[in-house]
Amino acid sequence: MTAVACELCPRRCVIPEGGAGDCRIRVNLGGKLRATTYGRPSAIHIDPMEKKPLFHFHPGTSVFSIATAGCNLHCLNCQNWQLSQRGGEEMEQIYRADPPEVVKAAKEQGCKSLAYTYSDPVVFYEYVYDTSAIARREGLNNTYHTAGYINPKPLRRLCGLLDASNTDLKAFDDGFYRRVTGATLQPVLDALVTLREEGVWLEVTNLVIPTLNDDLAMIRRMASWMRDELGPDTPLHLSRFQPQYRMRNLPPTPAEALDRARREALDAGLRYVYIGNVPGHEANSTYCPTDGTLLIRRVGFMVVENKLTADGRCPTCNQKIPGVWK
Amino acid sequence: MHDLYALRSAAVAFPRVRHWHRREARFVTLVAVTALVIGLQLSAGLQLASREGTGWRAVDTAAIHRRIETGDLRDREADWYHPATAVERKQVVERP
């Protein structure tokens, strides 16, 4: 029996022959670890960039989004569990799309960016890497929506090809990570710092779940950490929880709880704090932190109005707004 | 004898209330079973995620091979792994 040790994520699974890693899709066949979903996505969609959510990165553009089965987290509230909590051999729908075909399809559809998303792109790393390399050569952007549960070396190698990442910070509490996601907090914090250090445009999402991670003191600690380690200009998306998968016993997050959390994060010094999954909420939009001018008005994932100047400044006070605008 | 008499007198003064019936035993059992089920359900829910992510998974290898043969899956060698060392192999926990 030739067991192998995976080095990709902090789980460091030791996998005997015929077994899979915790992610279900990295399988030891014949003593070699196989990326079984390489070039075999189970989800392909064209989304608005705002759905990732990336609000300071090419707003209002379309992004060609792909995902394969598998995930290295097991969130009780996963919204894509039909995809993420299954192995490739369990999927009914599998597309055959090798990296060159993905890039070709994205260009044909008029998308200037690719997104590796829905499940967690960490687990289909090789597919992401090869596709990103071709996309970069072809002038497309590579964006990444991840839980950030990845080891530093593979992440640094990938960062050279990434343009933007929305990374989940699910709670600022290791106990929450262990109970609700099956992961741990510190590697995620390390990944966030690495993404920032490597110059990848970074936005952070925190799904606010009633009673589990909506404590205002914890929100403040998280926002303070972000301010100090990632910078006050890092956008934070506070998203509304909807009961699903194995967490149907809690109600959706009340809008007032999200408002309170947003105030707390703004008070802690973050300049761009958004509220997600509440279409029509005023905090879907971007405001100038200096004079409060409405810069980008959004309704849900739709950009209704964009008043930023061509070089990404507030038209009223000329304040430079951080982001990648064109 | 004297003590026994005193005890009997006390028993008369404070007659023992007979309150244990079979139906109450059934009720107590029902409450205990319900509490147990709720407890198991809660702990299963809370520990579900933490039980996962503990190393590796047994998978249907025959199904994986079949889908590789049909082209639905790939046998592309992954990056970021190494043959397990003797110390690492000891971590492998047998799975059913």
Side-chain angles (χ1 to χ4, degrees):
Chain A
M1 184 184 86
T2 313
V4 298
C6 186
E7 302 164 5
L8 183 58
C9 91
R11 296 195 186 286
R12 297 187 178 279
C13 298
V14 180
I15 310 163
E17 201 167 324
D22 178 67
C23 59
R24 296 180 165 90
I25 61 164
R26 301 174 76 79
V27 185
N28 179 351
L29 296 175
K32 289 186 175 172
L33 193 63
R34 310 287 176 167
T36 58
T37 60
Y38 183 96
R40 297 294 181 264
S42 287
I44 302 179
H45 297 287
I46 296 172
D47 293 327
M49 189 63 80
E50 283 67 24
K51 191 178 173 185
K52 298 304 110 192
L54 286 166
F55 279 13
H56 290 228
F57 189 84
H58 297 281
T61 61
S62 297
V63 52
F64 195 86
S65 307
I66 59 169
T68 82
C71 188
N72 57 343
L73 267 70
H74 311 289
C75 305
L76 300 178
N77 56 305
C78 182
Q79 61 177 348
N80 292 314
W81 62 271
Q82 296 97 332
L83 181 69
S84 67
Q85 304 303 311
R86 297 167 82 188
E89 76 282 6
E90 297 172 286
M91 299 302 296
E92 295 88 19
Q93 183 71 68
I94 296 178
Y95 303 97
R96 298 181 187 193
D98 282 336
E101 291 161 330
V102 172
V103 175
K104 185 167 173 270
K107 289 176 80 175
E108 283 171 0
Q109 296 296 324
C111 298
K112 297 277 190 285
S113 305
L114 293 174
Y116 313 98
T117 178
Y118 304 135
S119 52
D120 201 303
V122 166
V123 299
F124 53 97
Y125 180 96
E126 296 79 4
Y127 187 32
V128 172
Y129 189 88
D130 292 354
T131 308
S132 299
I134 297 170
R136 172 64 60 88
R137 283 201 298 275
E138 296 287 325
L140 301 184
N141 301 302
N142 292 303
T143 71
Y144 199 60
H145 187 164
T146 179
Y149 203 56
I150 183 171
N151 282 332
K153 271 173 74 175
L155 178 58
R156 281 197 192 277
R157 183 171 167 232
L158 187 62
C159 280
L161 295 170
L162 288 183
D163 297 286
S165 175
N166 185 305
T167 304
D168 290 337
L169 182 49
K170 292 170 187 287
F172 206 64
D173 173 35
D174 189 61
F176 175 96
Y177 262 90
R178 288 175 191 274
R179 284 191 307 275
V180 177
T181 76
T184 51
L185 172 63
Q186 191 57 49
V188 178
L189 300 181
D190 295 343
L192 285 163
V193 171
T194 301
L195 286 161
R196 168 60 77 225
E197 285 173 356
E198 294 287 333
V200 177
W201 175 256
L202 178 63
E203 302 190 18
V204 174
T205 293
N206 174 245
L207 184 78
V208 180
I209 306 176
T211 71
L212 294 185
N213 67 350
D214 59 347
D215 174 44
L216 291 180
M218 184 164 72
I219 300 277
R220 180 173 278 265
R221 284 201 306 279
M222 178 179 72
S224 302
W225 181 88
M226 282 181 61
R227 179 199 63 214
D228 296 342
E229 301 296 327
L230 309 177
D233 287 335
T234 307
L236 170 64
H237 301 262
L238 296 166
S239 281
R240 182 185 215 182
F241 162 83
Q242 292 288 348
Q244 49 203 337
Y245 190 39
R246 291 169 171 171
M247 198 181 280
R248 292 171 179 273
N249 57 322
L250 293 174
T253 319
E256 305 77 51
L258 292 164
D259 286 332
R260 283 194 296 271
R262 179 169 183 262
R263 272 197 299 277
E264 203 69 29
L266 288 168
D267 288 348
L270 294 181
R271 295 194 182 114
Y272 304 95
V273 183
Y274 298 99
I275 288 180
N277 293 345
V278 186
H281 194 289
E282 60 175 19
N284 292 167
S285 300
T286 302
Y287 300 87
C288 175
T290 305
D291 66 6
T293 300
L294 174 61
L295 299 172
I296 304 176
R297 191 156 73 87
R298 299 181 188 84
V299 176
F301 300 139
M302 219 165 62
V303 173
V304 180
E305 191 177 15
N306 186 346
K307 292 184 187 167
L308 279 177
T309 63
D311 58 346
R313 291 178 183 276
C314 171
T316 314
C317 69
N318 210 34
Q319 157 95 40
K320 176 88 178 143
I321 306 299
V324 182
W325 304 111
K326 61 175 183 179
Chain B
M1 287 299 285
H2 180 75
D3 287 342
L4 185 63
Y5 179 76
L7 204 62
R8 278 185 181 161
S9 303
V12 170
F14 302 99
R16 187 165 151 256
V17 179
R18 187 170 177 277
H19 56 77
W20 188 253
H21 293 277
R22 282 186 67 178
R23 66 172 182 277
E24 283 143 1
R26 286 201 298 271
F27 176 71
V28 168
T29 307
L30 182 68
V31 169
V33 168
T34 307
L36 183 69
V37 168
I38 292 171
L40 287 174
Q41 178 75 10
L42 284 175
S43 72
L46 285 173
Q47 291 173 15
L48 212 51
S50 55
R51 272 209 310 274
E52 302 210 40
T54 49
W56 66 279
R57 290 173 186 275
V59 285
D60 185 350
T61 318
I64 292 173
H65 277 300
R66 269 200 309 278
R67 297 201 75 168
I68 287 174
E69 280 167 22
T70 60
D72 282 344
L73 294 177
R74 296 286 291 277
D75 64 349
R76 198 253 196 214
E77 188 172 355
D79 303 335
W80 307 106
Y81 81 98
H82 61 264
T85 62
V87 175
E88 285 169 334
R89 277 198 299 275
K90 282 182 188 163
Q91 296 171 19
V92 177
V93 181
E94 287 305 317
R95 300 281 158 85

